[in-house]
C-alpha cells in the first residue's frame, strides 16, 4: 500500500526539512571521506581499500552540494520561520509513529534481558492496546494474538526450525 | 535435459509442492492485507527457508511472490485500497466494477489476468535468460562495473519524485555497503572499533529495516483511520470462473501487450510491478476504442493492470538469472536466499547450477497454477483477510520482522541495527527519498567495487571503460537515463508553471 503524503504539512516546510537532511548527510559523508583517506593503500593494486568509499562519498558530497545550492535558491525567506511550527504540527499528527518506535526500542532493548516470549507478550499487548479501539472484542483479539505470537512463535521456532530466540 | 529433469524432480516432489501451496496461500493472504507488501511477505518467508534445500526454498519464495501479486487484487477490488503498491492501477476499474454490484467478477477477471500474465512472462524468461547469460559470461569487469552504474542510475531516475534524491539514496546504499571488511583484501573499514560494524551491515537486516519497519510505521500516521474499520463492498460475490476465463481470453491483444509491458519493465532494474501496473493500464487505455470507459469498471482495465503487474515476476528474474543483477527488492531477496545457501549468483549460475535455474522456471509455472487453483477454490475465505485492521497488522508484523532479523545470524546486535535502520528508513521515507535505489545500492555496492578494482588490477588504464564497446554502451545508457529524467523534470516543471500562470 502506498504511504500517505510524506511532505511536512506543505511544500516549503518539507523543502526546509530536506535541506536539513542534505546538510546532515553532507557532514556525515565528509567525515567518512576523511576517514577513507586514512585507509592504507595497497602495493598489489592501483586502487586500495579506501578508493571506492572515497569515490562514493566524493560523488555523494558533490551531489549534495549541488542540491543544497538549488534548494537554498528556491526557498523563500519566510520558509525557515514557518518550519518550526509546521514541524511541531507534523510531529503531533504522527504521535502514533513515535509510540511505535519507542515501544520497538524498549522491546529490542529488553529482549536480551527478559527473553523473547515475555518481551514480545508485553510489546504486543501494549502496542495493540495503544492502537486498537477500546472494545471488548478488540481486547479479546489482543490477548489471543499476544500469546500466539510470543509463546506460540517461540515454540514454533524452537521445536520446528531449531532456531532459539533470546531466552534472557 | 538431465538438469531439467533433476530440477523438475525436486520441484514436483510432494514435500516441495505442499510447501509451495502454503507459500501461495501465505502470499495471497499477506498481500490482501492493506499495508503488507509482497516484499515484506518475501522477507518474512526467507528465514523459514534456511533449513530447506536451495531449490525448495526458492520455489517456496516464488510461490509467495506469485501469490502476493494476486493477493493485492483483493483489497484493491473490494476496498479501493491497493493491497500492494503494484495494485494501484487495479483499483481504477476493479473497484468501480465491485461497486457496480459485480465484486466476484472483478476478482475473477483479476485472477485470470494474473495467471496468464505470469505464464506469458515465464515463457519469455525461459527463452530470454539462457542466451543472455551466455553473452554475459563474456563480459569483463569493465562491462560489469558499467552495467551496475547503469542499473543504479536507471533505478534512481525511475523511482520516486526526484532524480537527485534517487541518486543520493543509491549513493547512501553504496556507502552503507562499504562498512566492514573490503571485498578484495579484507581490510577493516569504518568500524570505529564497534564489533557490530566490523563484519559489515547484514544486507537482509538493512532491507527489513528500510522497507518493512518504515512501511509499518507509516501505516499508523493517521491516528483516526487506524482505529476505524472499513467495510467490504456489498453485493453478491459470484465468481463465474469459466465464463470469466473466456472473457479474459477474448482479449488476447490486451493480455499479451500488458504481459510484455510487465516483462520488459520487470527486466529493467528498479522498475517493478508498481510501474508495470500503471504503464500496462495506460497502454491499454491508449489502444482502446473506448478510452472514456476506463475508470468506470471495464474488463480491459482490470486485465491490463493485473496482467502487467504479474508479468514482472518473470521479467525480474531475467537479469537476476542471466547477469546476477537483481531488478527489484524482491529479486534482491531471492538472490540473497541463494547466497545464504552458498550459491554464487551471476552469469555462470545457469551453467554451474542448471538444475536450479530450470527448477526455478518450473516453480514459476507451478506457482501460477497453484495461485489459480487456490484463488478459484477459496477466494471467499480470503475476502475476510482484507478486513484485518491495521492495529493488528502493524504490531504482529513488527514482531515477525524482529524474529526474521534475529533468525538470520542469531545475533542480538542485529536487532539493535534493525531498530536504527528502521528509524533511518522512516526518516528517509518521510523526507520523500525513494528507498529502492538505497537497497539496490547496498546489494550492488560490493559487486561494483570488486569489478572496478579487478578491472584496474588487470590494466590500470581508466580509458578502457570508454573504449570497450559494451562498457561504453552501458555508460551512455546511464548518462541517457539521467538526461531523460532531467528532461522529464524540467518538462513537468514548465507544465506546472504554465498551469499556475493560466490559473485565475
Amino acid at each position: 500500500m502506498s504511504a500517505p503524503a510524506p511532505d511536512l504539512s506543505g511544500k516549503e516546510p518539507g523543502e526546509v526539512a530536506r535541506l536539513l537532511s542534505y546538510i546532515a548527510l553532507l557532514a556525515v559523508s565528509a567525515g567518512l571521506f576523511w576517514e577513507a583517506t586514512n585507509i592504507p593503500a595497497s602495493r598489489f593494486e592501483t586502487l586500495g581499500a579506501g578508493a571506492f568509499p572515497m569515490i562514493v562519498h566524493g560523488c555523494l558530497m558533490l551531489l549534495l552540494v549541488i542540491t543544497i545550492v538549488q534548494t537554498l535558491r528556491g526557498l523563500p525567506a519566510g520558509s525557515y520561520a514557518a518550519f518550526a511550527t509546521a514541524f511541531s504540527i507534523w510531529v503531533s499528527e504522527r504521535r502514533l509513529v513515535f509510540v511505535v518506535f519507542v515501544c520497538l526500542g524498549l522491546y529490542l532493548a529488553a529482549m536480551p534481558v527478559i527473553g523473547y516470549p515475555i518481551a514480545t507478550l508485553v510489546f504486543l499487548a501494549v502496542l495493540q492496546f495503544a492502537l486498537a479501539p477500546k472494545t471488548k472484542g478488540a481486547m479479546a483479539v489482543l490477548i489471543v494474538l499476544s500469546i500466539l505470537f510470543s509463546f506460540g512463535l517461540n515454540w514454533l521456532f524452537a521445536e520446528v526450525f531449531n532456531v532459539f530466540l533470546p531466552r534472557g | 535435459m538431465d538438469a531439467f529433469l533433476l530440477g523438475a524432480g525436486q520441484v514436483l516432489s510432494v514435500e516441495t509442492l505442499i510447501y509451495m501451496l502454503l507459500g501461495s496461500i501465505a502470499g495471497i493472504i499477506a498481500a490482501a492485507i492493506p499495508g503488507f507488501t509482497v516484499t515484506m511477505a518475501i522477507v518474512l518467508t526467507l528465514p523459514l527457508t534456511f533449513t530447506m534445500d536451495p531449490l525448495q526454498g526458492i520455489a517456496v519464495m516464488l510461490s509467495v511472490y506469485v501469490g502476493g501479486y494476486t493477493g493485492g487484487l483483493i483489497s484493491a477490488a473490494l476496498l479501493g485500497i491497493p493491497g500492494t503498491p503494484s495494485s494501484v492501477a487495479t483499483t481504477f476499474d476493479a473497484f468501480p466494477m465491485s461497486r457496480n454490484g459485480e465484486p466476484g467478477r472483478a476478482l475473477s477477471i483479476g485472477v485470470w489476468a494474473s495467471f496468464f500474465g505470469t505464464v506469458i512472462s515465464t515463457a519469455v524468461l525461459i527463452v530470454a535468460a539462457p542466451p543472455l547469460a551466455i553473452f554475459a559470461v563474456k563480459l569483463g569487469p569493465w562491462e560489469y562495473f558499467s552495467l551496475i552504474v547503469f542499473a543504479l542510475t536507471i533505478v534512481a531516475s525511475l523511482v520516486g519524485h526526484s532524480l537527485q534524491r534517487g541518486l543520493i539514496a543509491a549513493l547512501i546504499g553504496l556507502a552503507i555497503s562499504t562498512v566492514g571488511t573490503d571485498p578484495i583484501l579484507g581490510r577493516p573499514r569504518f568500524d570505529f572499533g564497534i564489533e557490530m560494524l566490523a563484519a559489515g551491515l547484514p544486507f537482509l537486516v538493512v532491507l527489513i529495516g528500510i522497507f518493512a519497519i518504515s512501511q509499518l510505521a507509516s501505516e499508523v500516521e493517521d491516528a483516526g483511520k487506524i482505529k476505524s474499520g472499513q467495510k467490504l463492498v456489498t453485493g453478491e460475490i459470484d465468481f463465474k470462473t469459466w465464463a470469466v476465463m473466456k472473457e479474459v481470453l477474448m482479449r488476447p491483444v490486451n493480455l499479451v501487450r500488458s504481459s510484455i509491458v510487465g516483462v520488459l519493465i520487470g527486466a529493467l532494474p528498479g522498475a517493478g510491478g508498481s510501474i508495470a501496473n500503471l504503464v500496462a493500464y495506460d497502454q491499454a487505455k491508449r489502444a482502446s476504442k473506448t478510452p472514456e470507459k476506463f475508470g468506470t469498471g471495464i474488463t480491459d482495465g482490470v486485465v491490463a493492470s493485473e496482467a502487467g503487474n504479474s508479468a514482472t515476476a518473470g521479467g525480474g528474474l531475467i537479469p537476476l538469472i542471466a547477469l546476477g543483477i537483481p531488478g527489484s527488492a524482491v529479486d534482491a531477496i531471492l538472490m540473497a536466499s541463494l547466497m545464504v545457501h552458498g550459491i554464487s549468483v551471476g552469469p555462470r549460475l545457469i551453467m554451474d547450477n542448471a538444475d536450479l535455474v530450470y527448477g526455478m522456471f518450473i516453480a514459476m509455472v507451478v506457482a501460477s497454477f497453484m495461485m489459480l487453483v487456490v484463488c478459484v477454490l477459496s477466494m471467499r475465505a480470503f475476502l475476510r483477510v482484507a478486513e484485518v485492521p491495521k492495529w493488528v497488522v502493524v504490531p504482529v508484523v513488527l514482531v515477525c520482522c524482529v524474529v526474521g532479523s534475529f533468525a538470520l545470524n542469531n545475533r542480538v546486535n542485529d536487532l539493535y541495527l534493525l531498530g536504527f535502520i528502521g528509524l533511518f528508513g522512516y526518516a528517509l521515507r518521510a523526507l520523500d527519498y525513494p528507498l529502492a535505489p538505497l537497497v539496490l545500492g547496498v546489494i550492488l555496492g560490493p559487486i561494483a567495487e570488486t569489478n572496478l578494482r579487478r578491472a584496474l588490477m588487470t590494466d590500470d588504464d581508466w580509458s578502457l571503460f570508454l573504449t570497450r564497446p559494451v562498457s561504453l554502451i552501458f555508460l551512455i545508457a546511464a548518462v541517457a537515463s539521467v538526461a531523460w529524467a532531467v528532461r522529464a523534470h524540467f518538462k513537468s516543471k514548465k507544465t506546472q508553471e504554465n498551469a499556475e500562470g493560466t490559473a485565475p
Side-chain angles (χ1 to χ4, degrees):
Chain A
M1 180 177 177
S2 57
D7 228 0
L8 267 166
S9 315
K11 196 182 170 193
E12 285 169 8
E15 281 301 317
V16 176
R18 277 189 281 276
L19 176 65
L20 294 176
S21 76
Y22 302 144
I23 294 168
L25 286 171
L26 181 64
V28 173
S29 191
L32 291 175
F33 183 88
W34 181 80
E35 180 75 19
T37 59
N38 294 330
I39 298 171
S42 164
R43 53 184 174 155
F44 300 108
E45 57 167 337
T46 313
L47 299 178
F52 186 73
M54 281 165 69
I55 294 170
V56 170
H57 287 292
C59 293
L60 185 55
M61 283 192 294
L62 181 68
L63 194 58
L64 285 166
V65 168
I66 293 169
T67 313
I68 287 169
V69 171
Q70 272 183 347
T71 312
L72 283 173
R73 285 173 63 190
L75 271 177
S79 313
Y80 304 99
F83 173 70
T85 319
F87 182 69
S88 60
I89 294 169
W90 184 88
V91 169
S92 117
E93 281 175 352
R94 281 155 183 79
R95 59 190 180 279
L96 283 182
V97 175
F98 294 96
V99 169
V100 167
F101 275 113
V102 168
C103 288
L104 182 66
L106 292 172
Y107 169 50
L108 296 177
M111 195 191 294
V113 183
I114 59 175
Y116 171 83
I118 295 170
T120 305
L121 183 76
V122 175
F123 170 74
L124 281 176
V126 170
L127 190 56
Q128 286 186 107
F129 185 78
L131 301 177
K134 307 294 177 283
T135 61
K136 280 183 184 172
M139 293 305 121
V141 171
L142 180 157
I143 292 166
V144 171
L145 286 177
S146 301
I147 295 169
L148 199 66
F149 281 86
S150 53
F151 288 94
L153 208 59
N154 190 48
W155 175 86
L156 180 79
F157 267 77
E159 299 298 323
V160 181
F161 302 122
N162 280 326
V163 173
F164 296 96
L165 301 169
R167 293 170 192 178
Chain B
M1 194 62 193
D2 288 347
F4 178 83
L5 291 174
L6 198 62
Q10 285 185 62
V11 172
L12 299 176
S13 70
V14 177
E15 191 186 0
T16 307
L17 289 174
I18 291 171
Y19 282 136
M20 284 181 75
L21 183 65
L22 294 174
S24 280
I25 296 169
I28 296 168
I29 291 176
I33 300 170
F36 203 126
T37 63
V38 183
T39 311
M40 270 200 256
I42 297 271
V43 164
L44 297 178
T45 311
L46 180 62
L48 306 180
T49 65
F50 287 169
T51 52
M52 298 178 186
D53 292 333
L55 181 54
Q56 196 175 49
I58 282 284
V60 172
M61 289 172 81
L62 284 173
S63 56
V64 174
Y65 191 9
V66 172
Y69 269 124
T70 310
L73 162 76
I74 297 175
S75 56
L78 299 181
L79 301 175
I81 303 168
T84 66
S86 50
S87 309
V88 173
T90 309
T91 59
F92 299 166
D93 273 292
F95 186 51
M97 193 182 275
S98 296
R99 291 181 67 174
N100 293 341
E102 296 182 297
R105 187 164 155 256
L107 289 169
S108 202
I109 292 170
V111 168
W112 278 109
S114 287
F115 170 73
F116 289 121
T118 310
V119 171
I120 292 170
S121 76
T122 308
V124 177
L125 169 70
I126 292 168
V127 173
L132 192 60
I134 290 165
F135 167 73
V137 173
K138 293 171 188 159
L139 300 180
W142 301 270
E143 286 80 13
Y144 250 88
F145 177 75
S146 303
L147 173 63
I148 290 164
V149 172
F150 167 60
L152 286 175
T153 53
I154 201 158
V155 172
S157 59
L158 281 174
V159 183
H161 305 110
S162 156
L163 170 69
Q164 279 160 315
R165 283 196 292 282
L167 289 173
I168 290 170
L171 286 164
I172 293 172
L174 290 176
I176 289 174
S177 77
T178 62
V179 176
T181 52
D182 89 276
I184 299 246
L185 297 171
R187 271 188 207 281
R189 299 188 299 201
F190 308 123
D191 61 6
F192 305 105
I194 302 168
E195 189 194 345
M196 185 169 73
L197 299 176
L201 304 181
F203 161 69
L204 284 163
V205 176
V206 173
L207 192 130
I208 295 172
I210 286 284
F211 269 115
I213 303 282
S214 69
Q215 172 73 40
L216 289 167
S218 71
E219 291 299 332
V220 299
E221 282 180 343
D222 191 334
K225 267 188 186 172
I226 194 167
K227 295 187 178 184
S228 66
Q230 281 164 304
K231 280 185 181 174
L232 284 171
V233 288
T234 51
E236 191 194 348
I237 297 186
D238 182 3
F239 296 112
K240 296 174 187 159
T241 309
W242 304 112
V244 168
M245 183 192 79
K246 282 181 197 159
E247 195 181 348
V248 172
L249 283 173
M250 289 300 280
R251 290 166 169 75
V253 177
N254 185 4
L255 195 59
V256 172
R257 181 188 49 232
S258 305
S259 301
I260 298 294
V261 164
V263 170
L264 293 176
I265 291 177
L268 217 59
S274 48
I275 297 175
N277 183 244
L278 288 161
V279 174
Y281 183 86
D282 181 56
Q283 290 300 314
K285 191 176 174 182
R286 282 169 196 268
S288 171
K289 287 174 187 167
T290 53
E292 72 283 354
K293 286 189 181 170
F294 274 72
T296 60
I298 68 164
T299 309
D300 275 321
V302 186
V303 169
S305 51
E306 277 302 299
N309 70 13
S310 296
T312 55
L317 288 178
I318 295 173
L320 177 66
I321 289 174
L323 307 167
I325 305 281
S328 65
V330 172
D331 295 317
I333 304 163
L334 290 175
M335 181 169 163
S337 80
L338 287 172
M339 288 155 72
V340 166
H341 285 102
I343 294 164
S344 91
V345 183
R348 290 207 60 83
L349 176 70
I350 204 161
M351 286 150 219
D352 298 340
N353 297 285
D355 57 327
L356 183 79
V357 175
Y358 285 123
M360 285 169 76
F361 295 158
I362 297 162
M364 280 288 288
V365 178
V366 172
S368 55
F369 272 103
M370 273 186 177
M371 174 277 292
L372 183 70
V373 172
V374 168
C375 283
V376 167
L377 294 182
S378 47
M379 184 64 96
R380 275 190 185 79
F382 289 130
L383 299 182
R384 309 295 300 176
V385 169
E387 291 178 296
V388 177
K390 286 183 184 175
W391 63 264
V392 170
V393 175
V394 174
V396 167
V397 180
L398 273 174
V399 167
C400 294
C401 291
V402 168
V403 171
S405 302
F406 180 81
L408 291 169
N409 299 311
N410 281 358
R411 278 196 316 222
V412 171
N413 279 344
D414 286 353
L415 298 181
Y416 304 141
L417 184 66
L418 179 77
F420 281 117
I421 296 277
L423 196 57
F424 180 60
Y426 179 73
L428 291 181
R429 186 186 282 272
L431 291 164
D432 199 23
Y433 285 82
L435 301 179
L438 190 152
V439 169
L440 290 182
V442 175
I443 197 158
L444 293 178
I447 309 172
E449 180 174 6
T450 306
N451 281 291
L452 176 67
R453 288 167 67 179
R454 264 194 204 142
L456 293 167
M457 281 162 93
T458 312
D459 190 327
D460 60 5
D461 182 5
W462 284 83
S463 70
L464 283 170
F465 287 100
L466 298 171
T467 53
R468 290 175 70 100
V470 177
S471 170
L472 181 64
I473 289 169
F474 285 136
L475 290 178
I476 290 173
V479 174
S481 69
V482 173
W484 177 75
V486 170
R487 184 178 162 272
H489 170 72
F490 280 114
K491 211 173 161 184
S492 74
K493 203 175 169 185
K494 205 175 171 183
T495 315
Q496 202 180 344
E497 280 171 4
N498 286 344
E500 280 169 9
T502 54

